[in-house]
Amino acid sequence: MKFSVDRDVLAEAVAWAARTLPQRPPVPVLAGLLVAATPEGLQLSAFDYEVSARIEVAAEVAEPGSALVSGRLLAEICRALPARPVEMSSSDAKVLLSCGSTRFTLLTLPIEEYPALPDMPAVAGTVPGDLFAHAVGQVSVAAGRDDTLPVLTGIRVEIDGERVVLAATDRYRLAVREIDWVPERGGISTVALVPARSLADTARSLSTAATVSVSLAGQSSGDGLVGFEGNGRRTTQRLLDGEFPKFRSLLPSESSSVAVVETSAFVEAVKRVALVAERNTPVRLSFTDGMLTLEAGSGEEAQASEALEAVLTGDEITIAFNPAYLLDGLAALDGSHTRIAFTAASKPAVLSGTSGPDAPVDDSYRYLLMPVRVAG
Amino acid sequence: MRAVRLVIARCSVDYAGRLSAHLPLAQRLLVIKADGSVLVHSDGGSYKPLNWMSPPCTLEIDEPGEADVAAGVEQVWTVRHTKSEDRLVISVHEVLHDVTHDLGADPGLVKDGVEGHLQVLLAQHVHTLGEGWTLVRREFPTAIGPVDLMCRDASGAAVAVEIKRRGEIDGVEQLTRYLELLNRDPLLAPVTGVLAAQQIKPQARVLAADRGIRCVTLDYDALRGLDDPTQRLF
């Protein structure tokens, strides 16, 4: 194996592939990054049995071949290399890397023990990279983080023709996003539960791709697998098992009042007022005609309050939220204004983005948030 | 006799030896335990004494010297460590309270109270581990000790469950030993394993996955019925 490649191209590619390397590899070869030089270019792969990653970049290949080297070390080396073309070659059980006057000799791992990466399943459809990254980011905030209920650590992906619905919940909030995409064939209808953390990571890393193609292999054909490809990067992830809660029934069908507040001012105010909210204590929101009052803290401790302009339609309401959950939702909304729909102070409220008090409702993203019950 | 003596006194304390420390004159709680150890507590700092001498040690109570008498000292307590040169010197200015109690035999600390309770609760709610699961019995006997729970999954296959408060490498090893033994029994085999714990260490998770053991994180409060579903979406 012998090739030369641009330093920045290599560093970026190695950094991307190395993210998939397992923290605690159960077998030493899994700590390796597979470097393969083909006549088409350079291919880097990493795999931890859950997630696989493969990236192809342009390189001048003098001699095709492949080698398995410690991924973490290669990533650190590539990050530190000077801005000169990089040359890599393998001889016996070593890989030589030279860049300018810098030389590294790396030990190789036994390539024959390295597991084969899973094949990409059949492409189900394509979606623009930036839209995909944005939508996944909006939904993943609501995904559960602890393993008590493993299904809640996933994002449910429902594909129905040209619509894709993404949903995640941790039992305290629910985020639902609908996007349009281009299905590979008509009449496609399927669901998948993808681990939220790796999906968010993947989507972010593919955000610059013009299109991301999504591939799905359902539970019926062995282990469920989802694949994403764009910008010469492809990654597969194992799907989660289990029954995702029936989230549609959680979304209230009607509301008794609706408030519209300017989002950036709202976020600032919540952040300020929440400074005095002790751990596990809420921020109280009182909506009256034309005004929203935020309060936090109790009589025995520090207190804060702030008033904001708000347009209220319907009954006046006082409701309390966990400030961190509220801020997560506000940060995920699109548009300049936040629309909050209430049914009662003890019932979940629906946050959605809008461009003004009189603008049409944008329901493509909804963030359902459970209020905190306050005494008295 | 397991007597413990509690003294509340106005005193100053000096520690000499591996480290030097001085506590100025103030009211403090002095605990003299039956094993000879002496602890100096203030009214804060939770379980931690301000200063202490671990056993083996001896306590001598002496009359103060002239200079000390002039400073108002009534008694000088010197606690010497038997095996080193460390000394804890307590200059007692005034004893406000002095009481001695016999505590009797110590039953010891029961650390696995939560673990035992988790076993009872999980036995009652076997479905937490999977839909359609049934309990065979708690404390299922094997030649090397009982397995916490023996269950049957929805398809009727035997599953051994090890319950821990914190799932660590040890728990995985323990379960592996049980599984090896249980799988020799042709009536039970194949037996799979589940490590159920309130919290599972990443190392334990990797080892468990490598050995085909499933990890389940338990919610103690939910099992006890302490959580409040009306505070959640579902």
Side-chain angles (χ1 to χ4, degrees):
Chain A
M1 177 185 82
K2 189 170 184 186
F3 62 86
S4 64
V5 60
D6 182 78
R7 184 257 178 216
D8 290 344
V9 169
L10 179 71
E12 200 194 331
V14 169
W16 182 77
R19 294 173 322 134
T20 305
L21 294 169
Q23 286 288 326
R24 300 166 208 279
V27 233
V29 286
L30 290 184
L33 196 73
L34 186 64
V35 180
T38 64
E40 287 83 53
L42 175 65
Q43 201 176 70
L44 300 165
S45 330
F47 185 36
D48 70 352
Y49 287 117
E50 292 289 326
V51 180
S52 82
R54 172 173 293 173
I55 180 163
E56 279 168 21
V57 292
E60 273 176 45
V61 178
E63 197 183 304
S66 52
L68 187 64
V69 294
S70 161
R72 213 153 291 288
L73 184 58
L74 184 64
E76 275 171 29
I77 288 173
C78 289
R79 214 177 311 137
L81 285 177
R84 306 289 296 273
V86 184
E87 210 164 86
M88 273 173 95
S89 61
S90 63
S91 67
D92 299 330
K94 300 229 164 73
V95 165
L96 302 167
L97 187 153
S98 60
C99 176
S101 59
T102 315
R103 305 253 173 297
F104 286 97
T105 309
L106 301 174
L107 293 182
T108 59
L109 296 159
I111 203 163
E112 56 284 354
E113 284 175 26
Y114 197 71
L117 264 65
D119 290 327
M120 263 327 237
V123 173
T126 55
V127 59
D130 51 350
L131 172 65
F132 183 58
H134 181 60
V136 169
Q138 284 180 307
V139 172
S140 64
V141 289
R145 282 172 185 81
D146 72 59
D147 290 312
T148 317
L149 292 165
V151 279
L152 299 186
T153 62
I155 292 180
R156 180 170 166 100
V157 181
E158 293 184 356
I159 297 168
D160 185 19
E162 293 179 355
R163 290 302 267 172
V164 177
V165 178
L166 305 171
T169 176
D170 64 359
R171 300 196 288 173
Y172 296 94
R173 55 244 171 99
L174 163 73
V176 183
R177 169 74 202 224
E178 293 180 20
I179 54 174
D180 287 330
W181 80 329
V182 185
E184 195 65 13
R185 55 196 157 78
I188 186 170
S189 173
T190 183
V191 294
L193 189 60
V194 190
R197 203 152 72 196
S198 45
L199 179 59
D201 243 23
T202 299
R204 214 176 305 124
S205 73
L206 296 175
S207 61
T208 52
T211 59
V212 172
S213 63
V214 181
S215 327
L216 271 172
Q219 246 79 358
S220 52
S221 57
D223 273 336
L225 199 70
V226 63
F228 301 95
E229 184 165 6
N231 259 6
R233 301 167 177 195
R234 53 196 280 188
T235 158
T236 63
Q237 292 171 24
R238 278 242 295 262
L239 297 179
L240 289 170
D241 282 333
E243 189 68 21
F244 195 78
K246 296 194 173 26
F247 66 90
R248 286 204 171 75
S249 62
L250 299 171
L251 292 163
S253 50
E254 51 195 24
S255 58
S256 61
S257 50
V258 172
V260 176
V261 191
E262 211 234 304
T263 306
S264 59
F266 194 9
V267 168
E268 291 298 313
V270 174
K271 280 185 183 162
R272 269 195 291 272
V273 169
L275 290 175
V276 301
E278 298 272 320
R279 216 174 100 78
N280 294 329
T281 64
V283 166
R284 297 179 297 279
L285 312 179
S286 308
F287 291 90
T288 49
D289 189 26
M291 195 154 81
L292 157 63
T293 312
L294 297 95
E295 290 170 288
S298 65
E300 286 156 24
E301 280 141 13
Q303 285 170 279
S305 70
E306 181 161 344
L308 282 178
E309 232 177 80
V311 178
L312 180 72
T313 323
D315 305 339
E316 293 189 351
I317 188 165
T318 299
I319 194 164
F321 294 115
N322 173 320
Y325 292 172
L326 178 59
L327 286 170
D328 278 348
L330 292 175
L333 295 178
D334 295 315
S336 58
H337 287 66
T338 302
R339 179 182 184 275
I340 316 178
F342 309 98
T343 44
S346 61
K347 295 277 170 55
V350 184
L351 276 66
S352 50
T354 177
S355 49
D358 307 314
V361 181
D362 175 12
D363 258 350
S364 64
Y365 179 69
R366 279 171 292 174
Y367 185 86
L368 183 70
L369 179 57
M370 190 68 197
V372 180
R373 200 185 304 143
V374 273
Chain B
M1 196 177 89
R2 303 189 63 89
V4 60
R5 182 176 168 201
L6 303 176
V7 176
I8 299 205
R10 218 151 55 78
C11 59
S12 65
V13 181
D14 289 279
Y15 193 100
R18 279 164 303 173
L19 55 92
S20 303
H22 173 72
L23 303 175
L25 188 64
Q27 289 189 19
R28 296 198 175 87
L29 165 66
L30 309 172
V31 181
I32 302 115
K33 290 193 173 175
D35 62 3
S37 55
V38 177
L39 300 91
V40 182
H41 279 276
S42 66
D43 64 354
S46 186
Y47 69 95
K48 250 189 137 163
L50 296 169
N51 221 322
W52 70 95
M53 181 66 78
S54 317
C57 57
T58 52
L59 167 64
E60 276 172 41
I61 300 182
D62 299 311
E63 291 299 313
E66 270 181 40
D68 284 343
V69 174
V73 178
E74 284 183 3
Q75 292 174 356
V76 177
W77 297 15
T78 310
V79 191
R80 275 177 222 278
H81 196 256
T82 327
K83 290 187 179 160
S84 70
E85 292 300 301
D86 287 15
R87 274 185 310 137
L88 178 69
V89 180
I90 305 171
S91 307
V92 179
H93 289 243
E94 187 186 1
V95 174
L96 301 164
H97 192 71
D98 188 345
V99 59
T100 303
H101 282 287
D102 182 358
L103 298 186
D106 179 12
L109 174 64
V110 183
K111 260 193 175 164
D112 54 10
V114 173
E115 224 162 271
H117 196 201
L118 276 173
Q119 194 196 94
V120 175
L121 290 168
L122 198 58
Q124 287 168 358
H125 306 277
V126 185
H127 58 86
T128 315
L129 298 171
E131 212 51 56
W133 283 42
T134 51
L135 178 70
V136 177
R137 67 166 287 182
R138 281 172 54 198
E139 304 281 347
F140 186 87
T142 76
I144 51 167
V147 176
D148 285 338
L149 295 183
M150 179 59 82
C151 304
R152 295 270 178 193
D153 68 12
S155 65
V159 187
V161 183
E162 179 63 34
I163 299 168
K164 292 281 176 209
R165 233 154 52 82
R166 294 157 65 87
E168 297 187 26
I169 293 274
D170 288 355
V172 182
E173 293 290 358
Q174 194 184 348
L175 183 55
T176 309
R177 290 196 297 270
Y178 289 140
L179 287 172
E180 200 199 325
L181 233 72
L182 290 167
N183 272 313
R184 292 182 197 163
D185 185 342
L187 294 176
L188 282 174
V191 185
T192 52
V194 170
L195 177 69
Q198 275 182 286
Q199 188 195 7
I200 297 176
K201 294 268 173 182
Q203 294 96 320
R205 206 176 270 281
V206 170
L207 186 65
D210 196 48
R211 294 185 176 169
I213 293 169
R214 198 179 121 207
C215 291
V216 174
T217 312
L218 299 174
D219 187 341
Y220 187 35
D221 286 345
L223 283 171
R224 280 195 288 181
L226 281 188
D227 74 336
D228 180 1
T230 62
Q231 296 277 54
R232 294 195 311 255
L233 288 168
F234 56 92

